[in-house]
Amino acid sequence: MNPKRDRYDSIVVGGGFFGAYFAERLASKGQTVLLLEREKELLSRASLVNQARIHRGYHYPRSVLTGFRSAVNFARFITDLNGCVSGTYESYYAIARRESNVTSLQFKRFCATIGAPLHRAAPRIQRLFNQDLIEAVFAVEECVFDAFALRQEMRRRLDHSRVEVILSTEVARVESGNEGPCVYLAERANLSRPRIQGVNVFLCCYALLNTLLLRSHLPAVPIKHELTEMALVQSPEELREIAITVMCGPFFSMMPYPTRDLHTLSHVRYTPHFAWTDSDRYEADQVLDRHGRSRFPEMIRDSSRYLPLLSDSSYVESLWEVKAVLPQSEMNDSRPILMLQPQPGIFCILGGKIDNVYDVWDLYDGAEARAS
């Protein structure tokens, strides 16, 4: 499929949730918008392969700003995309007695500061945990999203706003020009328009952002990449409608995964398999294709120490993806956003969690409003 035009107001590279959201918002302002995605379907990489957690801030007691923004964006997300949200389960956060970066008292104070609801878990839930290793268990209010429902909703919005979407199309490079930036598509048969011009180009490529920047002879963004594994499990019946997170340290989360009607099991110590920066010259796709054995045995062995019932979980398969981590996250577990403009009309967009999209859009939209 060829682009219908030689020139667009905006070209968005990357059809994950961030790219789809930006494309729809730009089109709603009356722009002509082209969205390019190299996969066969939208929202098929990091937007699909993740915990599906819609954060309310509980996860970030070491970054009050991230926690507060999560609380604000949580309400915005579930209002904006209510049909994609599942909140029909009980959610609990447990504080470990040892190796935790936060005590139960500090956690309660943090949640009060950001306005996140928090209650002592019922005795039936507390009894599920190993009291020698867990200091306190709290009931919280969190949700997950259904990635397939989110894909359908974003496709509906893109169609409604008349965004031109082209799938299975890779961008070779982006170049600045006198009349605006140009996007060059990778060579393939029967492509009559391999070069497309835009007033603005938005690079929403997540883990592949630096790959495209370096091919375009633009400076790379300081990003650490991680090959990550989440285990898909069939939980014990007693945990079927429950989400559990033990924090804040080398612990685990077990979250409902509506897309498959299973749970994901992730572990701070075992989910990341391999990390690199772009100076190491690893290609994300190559690393993803060569992942090693599953670490589910290590995940379940350690997690069951805190929640013994987890040992009755059945392993189904693993979900693998490359995660992009900004340097600030390494210091305080925050989830900063990235919006850079390396050349006139070229924007780099990156967020650490799905609701960051509102912060990035507001930042861009506000800057545009001030400029006009």
Side-chain angles (χ1 to χ4, degrees), residues 277-311:
T277 64
D278 288 283
S279 61
D280 298 318
R281 300 193 178 278
Y282 288 105
E283 288 287 342
D285 287 345
Q286 294 174 354
V287 174
L288 193 60
D289 290 340
R290 297 174 185 174
H291 66 73
R293 70 169 183 87
S294 170
R295 289 181 180 169
F296 171 73
E298 289 90 339
M299 291 185 195
I300 201 67
R301 183 168 57 246
D302 188 66
S303 302
S304 298
R305 294 193 302 123
Y306 300 90
L307 186 64
L309 194 57
L310 269 182
S311 61

Side-chain angles (χ1 to χ4, degrees), residues 42-60:
L42 297 173
L43 279 71
S44 58
R45 290 289 301 264
S47 299
L48 174 66
V49 183
N50 61 69
Q51 280 189 324
R53 188 197 304 262
I54 308 170
H55 285 277
R56 196 165 188 164
Y58 302 105
H59 225 65
Y60 305 107

Side-chain angles (χ1 to χ4, degrees), residues 88-332:
T88 59
Y89 62 91
E90 301 172 35
S91 187
Y92 300 96
Y93 274 65
I95 309 300
R97 291 188 183 278
R98 293 181 287 276
E99 295 189 84
S100 177
N101 294 309
V102 62
T103 66
S104 60
L105 180 58
Q106 290 170 330
F107 187 62
K108 285 192 290 186
R109 288 174 176 169
F110 166 75
C111 292
T113 298
I114 67 171
L118 186 75
H119 308 283
R120 191 84 174 183
R124 68 176 179 86
I125 297 298
Q126 295 188 44
R127 286 194 292 268
L128 297 176
F129 290 85
N130 180 346
Q131 301 301 313
D132 291 334
L133 298 179
I134 295 296
E135 177 189 351
V137 184
F138 298 101
V140 303
E141 297 178 15
E142 245 183 6
C143 299
V144 292
F145 64 88
D146 184 328
F148 284 171
L150 185 61
R151 174 191 291 169
Q152 292 173 353
E153 174 61 15
M154 294 313 298
R155 190 66 201 236
R156 184 194 68 79
R157 294 186 183 191
L158 292 168
D159 289 343
H160 179 75
S161 58
R162 298 184 180 179
V163 173
E164 187 179 338
V165 178
I166 301 183
L167 304 173
S168 303
T169 300
E170 185 172 5
V171 173
R173 68 186 189 280
V174 181
E175 291 183 2
S176 294
N178 294 331
E179 298 181 3
C182 293
V183 170
Y184 291 82
L185 304 182
E187 292 183 5
R188 62 187 180 92
N190 303 318
L191 190 63
S192 61
R193 285 194 173 102
R195 175 185 177 278
I196 317 156
Q197 195 157 32
V199 177
N200 290 313
V201 174
F202 298 87
L203 307 182
C204 303
C205 314
Y206 193 57
L208 295 175
L209 175 62
N210 278 346
T211 298
L212 182 53
L213 287 173
L214 293 171
R215 287 203 307 240
S216 304
H217 304 291
L218 293 172
V221 175
I223 296 175
K224 185 180 83 170
H225 298 89
E226 292 179 346
L227 173 65
T228 62
E229 175 194 10
M230 287 189 301
L232 280 179
V233 302
Q234 187 76 58
S235 68
E237 188 61 37
E238 298 91 331
L239 302 177
R240 190 64 54 86
E241 301 298 326
I242 289 179
I244 291 169
T245 300
V246 176
M247 59 184 308
C248 165
F251 307 119
F252 71 94
S253 290
M254 189 191 73
M255 296 290 297
Y257 192 66
T259 305
R260 295 282 299 275
D261 195 27
L262 296 166
H263 278 69
T264 57
L265 179 63
S266 59
H267 196 290
V268 170
R269 183 173 288 139
Y270 301 115
T271 285
H273 277 240
F274 175 65
W276 72 98
T277 64
D278 288 283
S279 61
D280 298 318
R281 300 193 178 278
Y282 288 105
E283 288 287 342
D285 287 345
Q286 294 174 354
V287 174
L288 193 60
D289 290 340
R290 297 174 185 174
H291 66 73
R293 70 169 183 87
S294 170
R295 289 181 180 169
F296 171 73
E298 289 90 339
M299 291 185 195
I300 201 67
R301 183 168 57 246
D302 188 66
S303 302
S304 298
R305 294 193 302 123
Y306 300 90
L307 186 64
L309 194 57
L310 269 182
S311 61
D312 294 334
S313 301
S314 301
Y315 175 74
V316 178
E317 65 173 303
S318 291
L319 302 175
W320 301 85
E321 188 51 276
V322 174
K323 180 179 178 181
V325 181
L326 292 168
Q328 187 177 335
S329 298
E330 298 285 280
M331 296 182 288
N332 59 7

Side-chain angles (χ1 to χ4, degrees), residues 7-13 22 26 29 31-36 174-175 179-183 196-203 341 343-348 361 364 368:
R7 182 180 177 87
Y8 294 81
D9 294 322
S10 290
I11 301 172
V12 179
V13 181
F22 257 73
L26 292 164
K29 292 177 171 290
Q31 295 189 20
T32 56
V33 181
L34 174 66
L35 175 60
L36 299 169
V174 181
E175 291 183 2
E179 298 181 3
C182 293
V183 170
I196 317 156
Q197 195 157 32
V199 177
N200 290 313
V201 174
F202 298 87
L203 307 182
Q341 191 174 4
Q343 294 286 347
I346 300 176
F347 295 88
C348 301
W361 172 257
Y364 169 76
E368 286 293 289

